[in-house]
Each structure stands twice: as structure tokens, then as C-alpha cells.
Amino acid sequence: MGSSMFDLDPASSRPAAAPSPTRRAPVTEHHERAVVVGTGFGGGVTALRLAEAGVRALVLERGLRWPTGPDATSFPRMPDLDRRAHWLTDRSMTPGVRQSWKPYTGLVETLREKGITINCGAGVGGGSLVHYGMILQPAEEHFARSMPVMAGDYGDLDRWAYPAVARMLRLSTIPDDILAAEPYRSSRLFLEVAAKAGLETFKVPLSIDWSFVRGELEGRYLPAYTVGDLTFGANNGGKHSVDVTYLAAAEATGRVRIETLHVVRDLAMDARGRWVLHVDRIDAEGALLERKRITADAVFLNAGSPGTTRLLVKARAKGLVPDLPDAVGTRWGNNGDRVYAWVQMDGDPGRTQGGPACVGGRDAASPVPYTLIHAGSPLLLPGPARMMLMAGFGIVEPAGRWTYDAAEDDARLMWPKSADAALREVLDGRMDAFAEAGGGIVVDAGAPEPATWHALGGVPMGEAVDRRGRVLGHQGLYVLDGARIPGSAGACNPAMTIAALAEHSMAAIVREDLGKVF
């Protein structure tokens, strides 16, 4: 492990990955009524609502299943990171961790693009496996500012779609007795200083069963939540991620089957107007086992913003799908993601900083809306140094654009630094207020290499898809993940909004398209 968690790998391109297999593999063909690509927040909702409507659906996931339970060892731990952390790369992509290993179908794909690094979840449950459990609903005005084409639908979303997600993910906030426990000293310090710095503080709604945290505090389970070791999954269980909520319910109907280690390489339309997915079935180390050609009456793209966008940019550039909208590949953004390290503050944050990210703050008067969250840290500075991490996100200009690279047969992103400059200026000013109120200094940990865990856009609503996620001009092709949200999710992390929009869209699709389109 490197000397500091802020030492970044100097590589400027995508990581070295497992070599593409060249040996021949058998090709199989079959037809499906509906195929869902991806198992994150959008894919989970889609699969369940199709099943409930009586539709048999095939769900394709490139990654593995990751079972959890008290004292499980499924997920890698930050103090001893291994190849399970990263998707088919021969080295660690985690700042401060310099290791090499044999490539594996791990939890996070890291894309080094022009101007930014993108981290994407891989595995049954998608990004819900590796996010910190925050499930935030944006205010109406901030939602409308991010997604003006959907502004008129916020009332419906607020009345039933957001609450449906909250019930499914069983949201709750940190109980007072846990917040008062020693590992949450840093959370209490954040609340104290944030209020002095002029923020309105709040407890973060989380998809967490707090009995597992109590089990750790009582010594019944090995520490995971209470030491903030959640970046690559929650080994002790108790996290209501998509795999154990939406997808488990979908599979229980008997109408949904999930195929893991299935990588969708291309999307096309055949001469009969059917959707065609070209899929590689691989093993856990990336070796090709089988090629599949799957035709479908309906395809629901939920591979995450980079995954869905890359498929459609490729399909348009290679002529695989005629007349895709010109807006495909545009209006991408980083959700305003920033990570700050607050060091040598006056108060004592403790050496152990519990998670998940359970408290936050906002400034209703800010010219650029944002949310600031206490993130804790499973990796701390050596010696007596004091530190905590804070994560911010807000509304940005969706100025990123994906274009096709024929040499790589893939799409690449260009993200201009100016796109989030206004938000950075506001957040930097807030960090100065933190240091003034609580001592120490605040460092922009992402400044050397900007990164995001919340990629959004690339197939924007109103320009590439309609308000229900239908790709314009193409019956039976839908985008129901973060790719359709142009750049930011109303100054919140996007999980809840992706799921709520999928709920809202699937209600209309089942009502209007079922039996007619597919």
C-alpha cells in the first residue's frame, strides 16, 4: 500500500486490462421477449415490474453475484485490497494502493477518460453494491433544474415513485444510540462544525439494517460498518442493495432469470427489425467461453451511464442501428462529485470512523445547489494526524461528450474542466468556512485527477429518449438508467432518482407498450 491515500496512479489512459481472448468459441442463438442489460437501480426496477406484468425477461449482468452475511469474506477489505476490487485490470486503480494481480471480474470498472476518471459498478446489483447506501431525494426546484424536461412529472414522482423506492429499499436514518457510539465521533464532529460553518445539517436516509451495526458495536461481528470499510461492499450484510431487494423479488416470481458474466459487446437491428444483442459469456478471469446472439422484441438498457452510452455510440457509428438520435453521446456530467480531506482540525474525529455516510449538510441559499456528506475514511493518515473525508455533489453543466474510437471499437469521453467550475468555486468556499469554523485545512483530494462514482447522461431525456425512456424513433428500445439524466441529479447522489424514474417509466410502459410493442 502506498504512503498516502491521496497518492494517485499517474496513468492517463484506461487501465491495462485482461487481453481480449482470440481463441474461437461456440456461437449460440436464441430469442427472448424482453432483455434487460444491467442490474443496478434502473435494471432492478425494470426486471421486477416486467415480471409483475407477466413478462418473462432475461437479465444480463457482466459481473458476479456477491453473497453477504455476518462475517462474510465475499468483498475485499480496504486495508488488504486484492483483485476482487477491480474489473479485469492487472493492477489496482484505487488511490494509495499500488498492487498488481491477475485480472478478475471485480466490483469496479475504472475508465480513465479525457478530463475525468469514472468508476462504475460491476456485479449483480450494479452500483448499489459499492455505494454507501445514501438514498437522497432532490427538492423539486433542484430536480427541475437538472432535468427540465421532467419538471412537470415531479408531482407524480414525489407522490408515489420516490415513496415506492423508499419502501423497497427500507430506508432509515442512523439511530441516536449508534450516532453516540465511539466509532461515530467523526460524524458528530461534522455535524457540530457544519452548523458553525452555516450549513443546515441532517441525517442521511440509508438503505441499511442498523442491527448489523449494533452487532459490530457489541463485538458479535467483525468490524465493517463501524470502521467505514464499505467502499467495495458490506461484508456483514444488512445493506438493502438491489440484488437483495428488487432483483430477489423479480427472481421469486419465476419469470426472471439473471445470467452473470455476460458482456454485451454490440447492439444491432436485424433485417426483420428485431433487436440483436451480441454477447460474450466469459469466466471470472475474463476468458471467452461462448458467444451469444440474442434477439429480442424489447431491450431495456440499464448498463449505467458509461455502459449504455458506449453501446449506443458504437451502434450509431458502426451503422448497427439506423437513425439513432444525434444526441446519443451528449449531455454527460459527473454529478458534481468532489472529495475533500479535512486534516488537523481542532476537534478529535477519532481513529476509527464509522459508516455508512450517515450525516450531511446543505445551504439553501447557495447559487449552485449542492449537498455535502461526511464520508469517514477506512484509510487514515499515519501517526497522530487527524483526518476525515467529506463528499460533495451538486448541479453541473452536462458538457461531456462521447465519441467513437474505431481503433478501440469503443466510445471515449471528453469532459471539459469548465463544466463544473461554478460548483467547485462554491464548494471550495464552503471548505474554507469549515476550516475557519473547526480549524485545520481542507484539501481537494480529487484535484490531481478528477473522478466520479456518479456518471450521468449520454442518452439525454427529451433529445435521445422520451420522458419514459423510449429511444426516439425506435420501438422496443428503452434507456431506464442514469444515462438518460443529463449530468446531475438535483444536488443529490442519483440512486433514488434513477430508481424512481424507472418506476415511473415502467408504469407507463406496462400500461401503453405491453402487448403492442412487445
Side-chain angles (χ1 to χ4, degrees):
M1 185 175 293
S3 60
S4 167
M5 68 178 299
F6 307 117
D7 292 338
L8 292 164
D9 193 306
S12 59
S13 60
R14 289 189 180 170
S20 298
T22 56
R23 69 179 181 86
R24 297 185 66 180
V27 178
T28 59
E29 299 191 26
H30 65 273
H31 179 78
E32 301 285 342
R33 183 178 180 187
V35 177
V36 181
V37 181
T39 60
F41 288 100
V45 172
T46 302
L48 177 57
R49 302 314 174 199
L50 284 172
E52 289 179 338
V55 177
R56 292 193 175 277
L58 170 64
V59 179
L60 300 176
E61 168 55 51
R62 63 178 174 167
L64 295 162
R65 288 187 185 264
W66 297 86
T68 63
D71 293 337
T73 58
S74 297
F75 297 116
R77 295 184 180 270
M78 281 295 290
D80 188 25
L81 214 58
D82 59 44
R83 67 179 187 157
R84 293 173 295 171
H86 296 291
W87 174 262
L88 292 179
T89 176
D90 61 1
R91 56 191 166 88
S92 168
M93 304 303 294
T94 299
V97 180
R98 289 187 168 88
Q99 303 245 13
S100 60
W101 44 58
K102 188 175 182 180
Y104 189 72
T105 48
L107 286 152
V108 176
E109 179 186 28
T110 298
L111 303 174
R112 293 273 170 80
E113 302 298 333
K114 187 174 182 180
I116 197 162
T117 293
I118 306 172
N119 295 301
C120 321
V124 176
S128 75
L129 296 175
V130 294
H131 90 135
Y132 263 37
M134 293 180 291
I135 306 291
L136 297 174
Q137 177 180 340
E140 182 173 7
E141 62 183 296
H142 300 158
F143 177 94
R145 187 164 168 177
S146 287
M147 292 160 272
V149 71
M150 289 294 295
D153 292 286
Y154 187 87
D156 279 347
L157 290 162
D158 184 56
R159 188 176 72 256
W160 68 266
Y162 279 117
V165 175
R167 287 192 300 272
M168 198 72 188
L169 300 182
R170 289 169 276 171
L171 301 190
S172 61
T173 58
I174 185 169
D176 289 341
D177 63 307
I178 294 178
L179 183 58
E182 178 61 25
Y184 293 87
R185 179 189 292 268
S186 63
S187 298
R188 300 193 300 274
L189 179 61
F190 173 92
L191 290 172
E192 175 189 339
V193 176
K196 291 179 180 177
L199 288 177
E200 175 190 351
T201 61
F202 64 97
K203 290 182 176 181
V204 176
L206 294 153
S207 52
I208 298 297
D209 179 346
W210 294 98
S211 68
F212 288 80
V213 182
R214 287 195 176 93
E216 292 183 23
L217 291 171
E218 294 165 3
R220 290 185 283 115
Y221 310 143
L222 292 174
Y225 288 104
T226 52
V227 295
D229 195 359
L230 304 166
T231 303
F232 293 100
N235 270 311
N236 278 335
K239 185 178 176 185
H240 304 144
S241 48
V242 173
D243 54 323
V244 297
T245 53
Y246 278 102
L247 290 171
E251 289 184 291
T253 68
R255 298 188 184 97
V256 166
R257 74 182 192 278
I258 299 173
E259 298 283 359
T260 60
L261 297 175
H262 279 58
V263 181
V264 180
R265 299 297 185 191
D266 279 306
L267 168 72
M269 179 184 287
D270 69 11
R272 296 168 56 185
R274 299 178 304 177
W275 297 110
V276 181
L277 294 165
H278 296 276
V279 181
D280 287 351
R281 182 171 69 87
I282 61 175
D283 69 15
E285 294 183 340
L288 178 64
L289 302 176
E290 179 185 15
R291 295 191 190 279
K292 294 187 176 183
R293 184 180 186 273
I294 302 172
T295 59
D297 301 323
V299 170
F300 296 82
L301 296 177
N302 287 286
S305 166
T308 291
T309 302
R310 290 156 71 189
L311 277 174
L312 290 175
V313 168
K314 287 172 65 179
R316 185 179 62 185
K318 296 161 71 173
L320 301 177
V321 178
D323 303 319
L324 280 171
D326 291 340
V328 166
T330 68
R331 297 184 65 74
W332 184 91
N334 68 348
N335 200 46
D337 279 12
R338 310 299 295 177
V339 176
Y340 296 90
W342 183 20
V343 298
Q344 297 304 90
M345 66 285 288
D346 295 336
D348 180 10
R351 293 297 297 169
T352 299
Q353 298 183 11
C358 56
V359 293
R362 301 187 180 100
D363 177 6
S366 174
V368 182
Y370 68 87
T371 301
L372 190 66
I373 302 291
H374 165 268
S377 177
L379 293 178
L380 299 175
L381 296 175
R386 298 186 299 278
M387 183 193 76
M388 76 166 69
L389 295 182
M390 297 181 287
F393 27 77
I395 296 177
V396 299
E397 179 65 27
R401 187 178 189 93
W402 295 83
T403 55
Y404 181 64
D405 184 328
E408 294 189 5
D409 187 27
D410 203 351
R412 302 302 303 264
L413 171 69
M414 196 285 289
W415 171 245
K417 189 174 182 179
S418 60
D420 61 355
L423 175 64
R424 288 201 316 269
E425 183 177 356
V426 167
L427 283 174
D428 288 349
R430 181 59 63 189
M431 295 304 102
D432 291 341
F434 250 85
E436 183 176 346
I441 60 171
V442 182
V443 178
D444 185 344
E449 184 181 2
T452 182
W453 289 80
H454 300 133
L456 293 172
V459 195
M461 290 184 290
E463 300 171 68
V465 299
D466 72 7
R467 289 167 37 246
R468 302 296 180 255
R470 305 177 181 101
V471 176
L472 299 179
H474 292 81
Q475 282 201 341
L477 183 60
Y478 305 88
V479 172
L480 298 183
D481 61 8
R484 62 171 166 160
I485 298 174
S488 46
C492 291
N493 72 311
M496 193 176 200
T497 293
I498 291 171
L501 287 172
E503 291 277 18
H504 190 252
S505 292
M506 284 305 299
I509 290 165
V510 167
R511 182 176 64 249
E512 299 167 9
D513 295 7
L514 198 60
K516 300 174 184 177
V517 175
F518 66 98

